[in-house]
Amino acid sequence: MSTQDKIKKLTDLRAEAKLGGGLKRIDTQHSKGKYTARERIEMLLDEGSFEEYDMFVSHRCTNFGVDKKKFLGDGVVTGQGTIDGRVVYVFSQDFTVFGGSLSETYAQKICKVMDMALKNGAPIIGINDSGGARIQEGVTALAGYAEIFERNIMASGVVPQISAIFGPCAGGAVYSPALTDFVMMTKKTSYMFVTGPKVVKTVTGEVVTDEQLGGANIHGSKSGVSHFIVDDEKEGLLLTRKLISYLPQNNLEEPPIAPCDDPIDRLDANLNEIIPDNPNKPYDVKDVIHSIADYGEFLEVHRNYAQNIVVGYARFNGVAVGIVANQPNYLAGVLDINASRKAARFVRFCDAFNIPLVTLVDVPGFLPGTAQEYGGIISHGAKLLFAYGEATVPKITVIMRKSYGGAYCVMSSKHLRGDINYSWPTGEIAVMGPKGAIEVLQNKKIRAIEDEQERAEYIAKKEEEYKDKFANPYSAAQFGYIDDVIEPRNTRFRIIRALQALATKKDVMPPKKHTNIPL
Ligand code: HXC
């Protein structure tokens, strides 16, 4: 064979590999409103940056005659490229080949890029669209999944891992995305479940659709498995690029600093008006976030799940931070099981990847009641407490209004190694709100007053006394628990200055194998 023929063979093989399962199956993929594995990679990465590996791999299985059915690449496209010039490793499952199902060799391809990502300290992005373990392969496919899981675990806290779910993701296959840092799902075309509707019907008799059991809306709002819900794949891939822009390449680096010409001393007089005079009136904490962050930009994580707490990424003078904020607009910003789990995971991710934390506090406490107690609010609330307490990144706290009880301690207080703790003049720091406090302290006296009007007046008087004592930030400031009381309109500037002061912060945990966070 001449050199020219050899080169032609290479070109032909590449063309064959690029067709995956063939034109007909590509058309079917498109007809479902889905892109192919390679089209997705093209949209995700900087133009022309993709370096593909293992294009010529094919499976080794001989069961059920599949040795006669081989496709170059074997159902997954793997390689490396850049996002805004920064290296990322990618695998993209190809539904046109055996329904994207995972074989032994397919798993080896994924493991190879995961190993490379870990060695070179770069993020891993997995695009999932697969029928799960390739049935014909048997245990080698299961072993392949477990090899991937192990690498997900090794990479956890070392390089960021992002999973985009753009099709089916079922059975044990869901556990790889679940082990990663962020899961994103497309509406209508993706689903995740441990067992599908048919098995559910057989085992429990329950009749559900794919969408009801494990669609994007369910995992984005009810289970919390998915951090982002997107309308379509294009939106998802652009969002992935945006998310990456806030993250460092690995746990030994800092997030990139973005150029910023939003003035650091930009004041917002509206913030001085945002806290209503009536303490029971809500406001939207996202208005505060948009007001203080660079260009008002905020990338919210878990937007539809546990909306009583808001988490996400923003920048201050170009420095990426993780924001955790109680949301008075939803359940009065109370901390419950889901909010605690959501925020704890976010705080731990930020801490693992050197992303400073800015905490905005307006919290009436933990949600009381049997539903929460039976669900284990004690353990789940402790997760958030634990996450803040172990975090060694710069921690800046701004108490905007209520900061009551255990929730005061939890929300990045000075006592959990909070670095710079501010309060607005509207801060209220107390063991509990006035109503509850007077109920406990004055119970006997209140019951002894028979006249209703007299009783109401007595309660109001006592509540007023309590408010005078505690509905302010100064009793906490008196003990140094609050470093300064700041005007709301200055918040952006004060946070930026605090971040500058903390840029060289060094804090460590005592040596140990690992912590034992209350899971
Ligand atoms: C081999 C598979 C496959 C699989 C799909 N295909 N899943 N081949 N192993 N797991 C093949 C189909 O035979 C078909 O091939 C082609 O892919 C497209 O599949 P269709 O069924 O035609 O597509 P669609 O109607 O869109 O349905 C997609 C699907 C369905 C919902 C994913 O294929 C399905 O239910 N697959 C099985 C899912 C499953 O139960 N997987 C095992 C999960 S347990 P042809 O040639 O006919 O077109 C698991 C364990 C992991 O994964 C454990 C880890 C620890």
Side-chain angles (χ1 to χ4, degrees), residues 236-251:
L237 295 165
L238 285 175
L239 186 63
T240 306
R241 288 178 65 90
K242 195 162 185 201
L243 175 60
I244 283 280
S245 77
Y246 287 96
L247 311 181
Q249 289 292 89
N250 56 63
N251 63 329

Side-chain angles (χ1 to χ4, degrees), residues 296-343:
E297 282 176 9
F298 179 53
L299 174 60
E300 191 172 355
V301 180
H302 263 147
R303 181 186 298 166
N304 299 304
Y305 177 71
Q307 293 174 57
N308 33 332
I309 203 153
V310 173
V311 302
Y313 299 102
R315 291 192 181 84
F316 285 90
N317 198 25
V319 174
V321 304
I323 293 186
V324 181
N326 309 115
Q327 173 57 292
N329 236 359
Y330 195 91
L331 296 176
V334 76
L335 281 179
D336 59 5
I337 292 169
N338 292 349
S340 303
R341 288 177 50 232
K342 165 177 164 177

Side-chain angles (χ1 to χ4, degrees), residues 11-318:
T11 316
D12 290 348
L13 285 174
R14 281 204 192 285
E16 183 187 333
K18 283 187 179 165
L19 279 181
L23 283 174
K24 209 168 141 225
R25 284 173 200 273
I26 291 175
D27 286 346
T28 311
Q29 180 83 347
H30 286 156
S31 71
K32 291 180 189 161
K34 290 160 69 174
Y35 288 100
T36 65
R38 279 196 174 74
E39 287 166 345
R40 288 164 176 166
I41 289 180
E42 258 169 47
M43 278 187 265
L44 173 69
L45 300 178
D46 295 340
E47 203 181 335
S49 71
F50 184 51
E51 282 280 321
E52 186 169 344
Y53 306 130
D54 290 338
M55 198 182 218
F56 308 115
V57 161
S58 58
H59 71 77
R60 291 188 279 257
C61 183
T62 54
N63 301 329
F64 306 107
V66 282
D67 44 335
K68 310 215 169 42
K69 228 173 137 186
K70 291 202 176 191
F71 298 88
L72 291 180
D74 200 31
V76 64
V77 182
T78 59
Q80 169 259 105
T82 58
I83 292 181
D84 295 329
R86 300 160 74 214
V87 172
V88 295
Y89 286 80
V90 198
F91 64 87
S92 181
Q93 301 178 332
D94 183 352
F95 194 82
T96 68
V97 175
F98 293 113
S101 61
L102 181 138
S103 69
E104 178 200 12
T105 42
Y106 174 130
Q108 284 167 353
K109 284 182 66 173
I110 294 179
C111 288
K112 187 193 265 188
V113 280
M114 292 181 85
D115 289 341
M116 291 167 104
L118 206 51
K119 241 187 233 171
N120 295 303
I124 303 166
I125 300 166
I127 302 174
N128 296 257
D129 185 3
S130 163
R134 194 170 300 165
I135 296 162
Q136 298 92 328
E137 296 245 343
V139 72
T140 55
L142 299 184
Y145 270 120
E147 296 278 345
I148 295 169
F149 299 159
E150 180 64 15
R151 280 162 181 79
N152 287 133
I153 295 159
M154 290 301 120
S156 182
V158 182
V159 294
Q161 302 182 76
I162 300 172
S163 301
I165 316 294
F166 286 172
C169 184
V174 293
Y175 285 109
S176 175
L179 291 166
T180 64
D181 300 304
F182 299 99
V183 176
M184 166 186 302
M185 294 181 75
T186 42
K187 281 186 194 161
K188 297 201 184 99
T189 51
S190 74
Y191 52 83
M192 295 177 80
F193 33 65
V194 171
T195 49
K198 284 193 193 108
V199 179
V200 170
K201 185 162 179 245
T202 317
V203 177
T204 68
E206 194 184 0
V207 179
V208 278
T209 62
D210 287 339
E211 194 66 26
Q212 289 165 333
L213 189 61
N217 283 329
I218 292 301
H219 287 311
S221 60
K222 263 193 186 329
S223 73
V225 166
S226 177
H227 300 81
F228 300 102
I229 308 173
V230 289
D231 285 337
D232 55 37
E233 295 177 15
K234 225 178 227 171
E235 185 190 337
L237 295 165
L238 285 175
L239 186 63
T240 306
R241 288 178 65 90
K242 195 162 185 201
L243 175 60
I244 283 280
S245 77
Y246 287 96
L247 311 181
Q249 289 292 89
N250 56 63
N251 63 329
L252 301 178
E253 292 185 11
E254 311 274 325
I257 294 180
C260 176
D261 51 22
D262 189 356
I264 61 170
D265 54 357
R266 175 170 55 76
L267 303 183
D268 184 355
N270 291 331
L271 285 186
N272 278 8
E273 312 283 327
I274 200 162
I275 301 293
D277 287 337
N278 177 351
N280 297 323
K281 250 183 116 181
Y283 58 92
D284 190 347
V285 78
K286 288 189 212 171
D287 290 341
V288 177
I289 297 171
H290 290 301
S291 154
I292 59 180
D294 289 354
Y295 309 111
E297 282 176 9
F298 179 53
L299 174 60
E300 191 172 355
V301 180
H302 263 147
R303 181 186 298 166
N304 299 304
Y305 177 71
Q307 293 174 57
N308 33 332
I309 203 153
V310 173
V311 302
Y313 299 102
R315 291 192 181 84
F316 285 90
N317 198 25

Side-chain angles (χ1 to χ4, degrees), residues 360-427:
L360 304 175
V361 184
D362 189 345
V363 59
F366 281 98
L367 183 61
T370 50
Q372 290 290 306
E373 294 293 355
Y374 295 174
I377 181 69
I378 296 173
S379 306
H380 295 293
K383 287 175 183 159
L384 184 54
L385 178 56
F386 201 114
Y388 268 122
E390 72 175 346
T392 54
V393 286
K395 292 187 279 192
I396 298 160
T397 311
V398 181
I399 296 177
M400 300 174 298
R401 185 169 62 173
K402 296 171 196 163
S403 186
Y404 290 156
Y408 157 74
C409 303
V410 170
M411 295 302 296
S412 201
S413 67
K414 204 67 170 168
H415 325 288
L416 300 179
R417 297 192 289 175
D419 293 299
I420 297 188
N421 292 60
Y422 293 129
S423 176
W424 288 357
T426 42

